[in-house]
Amino acid sequence: MGKGIAFSTNFDLFQSKAASWRDTLQMRTGPAPPHFDHIPEICRKELLEWDEQAHRLGETLMGLLSEGLGLEKDRLKEMSCLDARLMVAHYYPYCPEPERTVGIKSHSDPGVLTVLLQDQIGGLQLKHGEDWIDVKPCSGALVINIGDLQMISNDEYKSVEHRVVANSFREPRVSTAVFFNPSKREDNYGPLPELVSADKPAVYKQFTLPEFMRQFFSKELDGKVIDYFKV
Ligand SMILES: O=C(O)CCC(=O)C(=O)O
Ligand SMILES: [Fe+2]
């Protein structure tokens, strides 16, 4: 990711039980966009346009999330939560033995907020109790995920565990997600002081973003990492 853009597949290949049936183009779009020439020409215009639109939507959503916590509209924005953005474009080819693996394993997104667009093939599921519920494709609709950095809300918002089953259809599945993260890598994050009181003590410790990401990548993609940060 040195140039801000990379093709990848299975970052946890040597830790996981089966390879996920997926390839990914990922691009860091904020705080600084990658060098124009490094973005594949075939989708350059589209990726930059999508980032701009998702950024605008992210700002609206972040304002609503702040207000939902009883905070000023710009509280999360001022913490730089819109600034570090990663866009992924996933390609899930037809899998001839879909019962043997998945497209993407169970996880919750590591950031504050995710704006996701899936195509008509389907396969995205979210965990509700012990059950997996289909997130049925709906033309023109976006899926908005709360990420693990909801820890700053002191559990007022909860990240959602999700996965994508292996694609059993004869045509590829495509999705794209923009993850919003804070950009201040040296700052401490944890439950916001306004959300901590004697009645509601901090559920999580303070941590820096590198500490959080180290934990996220320390194991195979499977379930949530936030328990590690519990007080
Ligand atoms: O492809 C999808 O619908 C979901 C992708 C996803 O969960 C992710 O990139 O974190
Ligand atoms: Fe995800």
Side-chain angles (χ1 to χ4, degrees), residues 88 90 92 104 107 109 116 118 124 145 162 164 173 175 177 179:
V88 292
H90 297 305
Y92 300 84
I104 192 167
H107 66 284
D109 293 342
L116 171 76
Q118 61 167 336
L124 176 64
N145 277 338
H162 54 281
V164 178
R173 174 182 190 268
S175 69
F179 304 104

